Amino acid sequence: MLSQLYEGKKKEYGMKRLWLGTTDGIWYREQDRSEVRPVALAGKAVTQILDTGRGRVYATDGRRIWWSQDEWRHMNSAQLPGGRPVTALAISPHPPYPLFAGSLPAALFRSDDAGEVWYGVTGFDQTPGHETWTFPGASPHPRVNAIAFDARQSETLFVSVEVGGIIRSLDGGETWASCSDDVNRDAHFLATHPTASGVLYASMGFGAQQPGGVYRSVDHGVTWRYCFENLEPSYTRAIVLDPREQDTLYVVATPRQPPFWALPEGPRSVLWHGRRGGDEWTICASQLDQEPSRLITALALDPEARDTLYVATSDLAPALHAIGALGRPPGGPFPAPSTEPSANAPEIVRARFALRQRLARLDTEQAPRGGGTIWRVAASGTHRRICPAAPAILAMLWA
């Protein structure tokens, strides 16, 4: 269904614009031009952009959910109940196309009127084991990272909780249960197969006993197969399936988890290219920028060329401040650390201190909001810079 939607959108819109969610609002790039231009929500960090395929586009800045039907010239917005921070946003591909949003602390919300009114999905809060969900390190509050839907079973949906695992509902959200306790509970992002029912992939981190990397299920999460045996780096985050290539996917990975990204060596993020459902992997992009503080922050499939995608790299601190880090919600605030650890302190303590310092400076406007770059990357590894100057990029969408 997604491949059909993709081809339909290509005919309808010509795939002329790449929309960018940045640390300074929504920007866009024409397909045949290199420069990017601001269009809406200046000054807000737009962490996600969502296209319904039916004329309406959504975005969130972590505080509000915005939508427009005329390329962002006129906008409406809503908040989640209680003003909860928004950490994930998704729309069901099945009629009547309800919207779902996830938050920090981990909770799930639904809208049946195109985003104007939201209500809590109470069954999600009653998931067995809900009280054990947590977050590694500085905060006890888990977060919802992603929401995904089965290709054919309209009542089946999945939510990833960091750290709580993959949570599944088989009845449209009425009841929920964990389906990954024996796999890895440090769940990051999800990608369901666009046409095959029951097939989904999950990117995982290091906050569990099981290894990080990519996991695959072909039975709606009942059983999982580890796809990253003997592969490094394996702290995986952003993941995308290509509906035009059978069982092909891309995933971003780093050698270590976020606090260590603030150390002098930086994140060292790479882009893995997987074939045959994760049986074969190659690194198709690594260190696109020479600056060690740059991070791969967003992916978007090329609208014309197969085995090619657009990859955004951004300055580390502005990106993490916008999406939330160290257990803090999107946009912070990030209180400055009070005491510098000794030289003999564990490396993780020193790394967390360094990251908190950099994030706190953004709260007081003592550091620049940073920049982003867009690259066109082929699965073969060839790449070129196509957009040299933009704010830090958090999301990309062709529409």
Side-chain angles (χ1 to χ4, degrees):
M1 186 176 74
L2 286 183
S3 59
Q4 294 173 354
L5 172 63
Y6 178 90
E7 293 301 327
K9 281 171 57 55
K10 186 174 178 180
K11 292 178 181 178
E12 182 179 354
Y13 299 115
M15 299 299 285
K16 295 296 185 183
R17 280 188 173 176
L18 177 65
W19 296 97
L20 307 175
T22 80
T23 49
D24 189 21
I26 297 172
W27 293 51
Y28 72 91
R29 174 187 180 271
E30 301 289 352
Q31 189 173 7
D32 57 350
R33 304 189 178 203
S34 60
E35 71 271 14
V36 292
R37 300 175 181 176
V39 65
L41 299 179
K44 298 185 182 298
V46 176
T47 58
Q48 191 174 353
I49 305 177
L50 179 67
D51 182 21
T52 65
R54 291 176 299 282
R56 179 174 284 199
V57 183
Y58 293 85
T60 178
D61 61 359
R63 296 284 186 257
R64 304 190 73 87
I65 296 167
W66 305 80
W67 66 88
S68 173
Q69 291 181 281
D70 54 8
E71 295 189 341
W72 303 108
R73 287 188 293 270
H74 301 89
M75 291 177 292
N76 295 300
S77 71
Q79 282 185 298
L80 296 182
R84 290 237 189 171
V86 184
T87 56
L89 189 63
I91 183 169
S92 171
H94 307 290
Y97 311 110
L99 280 162
F100 289 85
S103 70
L104 182 155
L108 190 65
F109 301 86
R110 174 172 173 153
S111 174
D112 294 314
D113 58 3
E116 296 193 24
V117 177
W118 293 83
Y119 61 90
V121 179
T122 56
F124 186 77
D125 297 333
Q126 298 166 6
T127 301
H130 178 274
E131 67 282 355
T132 67
W133 298 351
T134 185
F135 191 87
S139 169
H141 299 303
R143 69 168 61 209
V144 169
N145 275 331
I147 305 162
F149 308 88
D150 187 75
R152 300 185 179 227
Q153 296 185 9
S154 61
E155 296 295 292
T156 299
L157 57 157
F158 305 88
V159 174
S160 63
V161 175
E162 184 182 18
V163 173
I166 310 300
I167 316 304
R168 180 187 62 197
S169 176
L170 301 176
D171 54 14
E174 291 294 322
T175 60
W176 296 80
S178 173
C179 64
S180 66
D181 284 345
D182 296 330
V183 181
N184 189 319
R185 298 179 72 243
D186 190 9
H188 290 163
F189 296 98
L190 302 171
T192 50
H193 197 285
T195 57
S197 181
V199 179
L200 69 154
Y201 298 83
S203 63
M204 303 290 196
F206 296 159
Q209 293 182 347
Q210 295 85 355
V214 174
Y215 292 75
R216 181 177 188 254
S217 175
V218 297
D219 54 12
H220 302 95
V222 176
T223 60
W224 295 84
R225 178 174 66 84
Y226 184 54
C227 301
F228 249 53
E229 199 70 49
N230 300 319
L231 295 181
E232 290 293 341
S234 61
Y235 183 88
T236 52
R237 292 191 60 80
I239 185 170
V240 63
L241 297 184
D242 190 339
R244 303 162 298 181
E245 298 288 338
Q246 185 69 24
D247 295 323
T248 294
L249 65 155
Y250 298 88
V251 64
V252 177
T254 58
R256 309 177 84 178
Q257 58 266 48
F260 294 105
W261 298 350
L263 296 179
E265 62 266 28
R268 294 178 290 160
S269 52
V270 307
L271 179 64
W272 284 100
H273 176 222
R275 293 188 181 274
R276 297 179 58 201
D279 287 340
E280 298 175 0
W281 293 92
T282 56
I283 291 177
C284 61
S286 62
Q287 294 187 327
L288 292 169
D289 288 287
Q290 296 303 311
E291 298 90 343
S293 63
R294 302 284 277 187
L295 174 72
I296 295 178
T297 49
L299 306 175
L301 296 170
D302 189 295
E304 294 184 341
R306 295 175 181 268
D307 271 345
T308 305
L309 70 166
Y310 288 78
V311 179
T313 58
S314 300
D315 287 346
L316 172 66
L320 288 187
H321 189 283
I323 66 176
L326 300 174
R328 307 293 296 184
F334 291 86
S338 56
T339 304
E340 184 173 359
S342 68
N344 297 325
E347 188 183 29
I348 182 66
V349 174
R350 290 183 279 116
R352 189 174 290 121
F353 174 83
L355 183 56
R356 287 181 62 188
Q357 273 192 319
R358 294 172 66 176
L359 296 173
R361 282 199 293 269
L362 290 170
D363 281 330
T364 58
E365 302 296 335
Q366 295 178 12
R369 288 288 167 175
T373 301
I374 302 174
W375 304 77
R376 190 171 183 268
V377 178
S380 62
T382 60
H383 59 272
R384 63 183 176 90
R385 187 194 305 254
I386 64 166
C387 174
I393 299 166
L394 310 173
M396 296 193 293
L397 171 73
W398 283 103

